[in-house]
Amino acid sequence: MSENAIEDLSPGELATVVELQRVELNRLLSDQKRLNARIDSLLQFQEREQVLRQQMQASLDRLVEQRGAADPVTKPMSTLAMSEDVPRLSSRLNRAERRFQALRTAVGQLVLALERQGTGQGA
């Protein structure tokens, strides 16, 4: 509020304005406390997630080491070996999707043919 507006207020109106500002300030402080509590909670979740990721990575590393120790003929799975597997897996997935699409089309045509036979339309 400007000084002119404050000067024009009666003592009762001024007390009301001050009370409204106090209530609003208390509400804002309460909101800030809740927000800070949520931020703390999110930071704890993030920290826990990082710990779990590290534990999972350590477990994966141990599994890779165990696989290498259990099968000395094959080399342990390295990042390079995994990256070489990705194109093969991707290729297999693409082939499977094409087969599925072809099978789906064939089944659709078969259903249409059977429906035509059922209604006596012929093929």
Side-chain angles (χ1 to χ4, degrees):
M1 293 188 93
S2 67
E3 285 186 37
N4 291 337
I6 292 173
E7 290 174 359
D8 293 341
L9 294 176
S10 68
E13 291 172 330
L14 188 57
T16 302
V17 168
V18 169
E19 180 62 22
L20 290 173
Q21 287 179 339
R22 185 190 62 78
V23 169
E24 182 65 13
L25 180 61
N26 287 339
R27 186 191 66 79
L28 290 173
L29 289 172
S30 175
D31 287 350
Q32 182 183 16
K33 286 178 186 177
R34 282 198 324 263
L35 181 60
N36 286 339
R38 285 190 180 196
I39 289 171
D40 289 343
S41 176
L42 288 173
L43 289 173
Q44 289 172 353
F45 285 143
Q46 183 184 22
E47 182 180 341
R48 181 68 181 145
E49 179 189 12
Q50 288 175 346
V51 168
L52 291 173
R53 283 179 187 266
Q54 290 170 350
Q55 289 173 349
M56 188 172 34
Q57 184 62 48
S59 295
L60 287 172
D61 291 344
R62 280 195 306 275
L63 285 171
V64 168
E65 289 172 6
Q66 289 173 356
R67 180 178 177 220
D71 190 5
V73 175
T74 61
K75 62 181 180 185
M77 198 183 293
S78 67
T79 305
L80 179 60
M82 283 190 265
S83 67
E84 291 171 355
D85 287 341
V86 170
R88 286 190 305 206
L89 290 173
S90 180
S91 174
R92 286 180 62 189
L93 178 62
N94 289 335
R95 283 195 312 266
E97 286 176 348
R98 283 193 302 272
R99 285 185 204 144
F100 173 76
Q101 187 62 35
L103 180 61
R104 189 167 124 187
T105 302
V107 169
Q109 291 172 350
L110 179 61
V111 167
L112 286 174
L114 290 173
E115 285 176 352
R116 285 185 199 139
Q117 283 181 353
T119 60
Q121 290 181 358

